[in-house]
Structures are given as structure tokens and as C-alpha cells.
Amino acid sequence: MFNWPDAELWPSVTVEGGSGRAVRMAAGQRVGVVNTHGQQVVDTWAVTLTGERYLSMSHTRLAIGRLSPTAGDVLVDDQRQPILALVCDESPGGHDTLIPACDARRYRALGFQGYHPSCADNYAHALAGTGLGASARTPDPLNLFMAVDLSAAGELALVPSAAQAGARVVFEALQDLVLVVSACPQDLVPINGADGPRRVQLFIEGPASGTALGA
Ligand SMILES: [Zn+2]
């Protein structure tokens, strides 16, 4: 299994709470995601460089045989091809794969008036800065560190993240891709704890092409 401490030597990118970033990755390249202050949900997407295929939660759930990936799992795209490997998970796990990205309609439904940042907007803006162009839709994200309780009756409950400060995961790209992350700006439902949203940190393995592209 991958040895985490090496990742602290990789180039680092800060993702401010409520914002998103995109990172171009070559096949074989790794990225660490650190939940700096804990309890921050990080919506995560991977898109191939042609923009034609994307990390798919429904296909991944079938491929891994579980609702949530664990270390060693290979996540797949919408054509069932391996796209990301979760090679290290030093968190409570249980990363959500069921809930869509927050968006303007979600905040309106929660009673918010005016513009509220959202993971859907963060995804669109970050992707637009990569040269892949705007996204016509938002694929369902892998919601890193997000806790959703599933009752025996099949009921879902969104609860505060159990991720401790410093909780961290590492992915390896299995195709050339753009990784997009959003430090979820949700502050009307307590998924990010009482003090969210807060910044997270990416550590991107060389070469230098693995630099942040979008803001
Ligand atoms: Zn969100």
C-alpha cells in the first residue's frame, strides 16, 4: 500500500472552503487530498481529456460491489473503464456515492435567497478553465468524507462528516484526466459540521504538468 508521508513533498494546492479547483493528471500520477480542519466534504470528479467520459458513481458501485470505495478499489468511468484508484484512505471512510452535487436549485429549495456558491458551479467553472470547455451537465460526484446514514428501512439521512482534522486519501489516475474537486459550500445542512466550509489541501505528484488549472 502507498506510503502517505511521501506525498507531503509533492507540490501543494490549497482549495479554499466553498471553492473548486481542477488538476490535470497523467495516467500513473497520484494526488493526495487532505481534510485540513476535518468534516469538510470534498465533491470529486474525473473527466477524460477528450471530455467524453467521466468517473461514474453508478458504474463504480457495481464495479466495487459496495456503496462506498475503500483503499485498493478501482473506480470506473461511464464506459466501465478504470479511471481512478483509491490507493490510500486514512479517514473514517464511508465516502458518499449517492447524493448529487449541490446546486442553485438545492439552495433555493432550502430557502436561501440570492446567489449561493455550489459544487455544481465550482465544477463548471473549474472545468471551463482547463480547455475542456464548459460542461453541459454535472456528473454525480464522489463525495469524499461525506457521511450519509442509510437506515434498515432504506431511508437516507445527511449527517455531519466524521472526518477528523488531517483525514486524507490518495488517488492514482488510471487514464490521462482532469480531476476536479470542490470544498462543498453547503452551510444550510450540517454535512460540513458546524463551522464549514473550510479549506482542504491537494498534494500533486510530479511532473510539473500536475499543476492546478482552474480556480
Ligand atoms: Zn456541495
Side-chain angles (χ1 to χ4, degrees), residues 40-43 45 100-103 107 117-120 122 141 143 146 182-186 191-192:
Q40 178 62 48
V41 171
V42 181
D43 289 39
W45 299 265
C102 62
D103 57 18
Y107 289 104
S118 71
C119 289
N122 288 343
N143 295 309
M146 181 171 174
S182 170
C184 180
Q186 178 61 266
I191 59 170
N192 294 312

Side-chain angles (χ1 to χ4, degrees), residues 69-115:
T70 62
D73 278 343
V74 172
L75 288 60
V76 301
D77 65 26
D78 60 304
Q79 299 299 313
R80 304 180 191 267
Q81 299 303 302
I83 188 167
L84 278 182
L86 179 58
V87 295
C88 171
D89 187 352
E90 297 181 0
S91 82
H95 311 287
D96 171 68
T97 68
L98 297 173
I99 305 300
C102 62
D103 57 18
R105 286 187 177 84
R106 172 71 166 146
Y107 289 104
R108 276 202 295 277
L110 290 169
F112 190 85
Q113 305 290 323
Y115 178 76

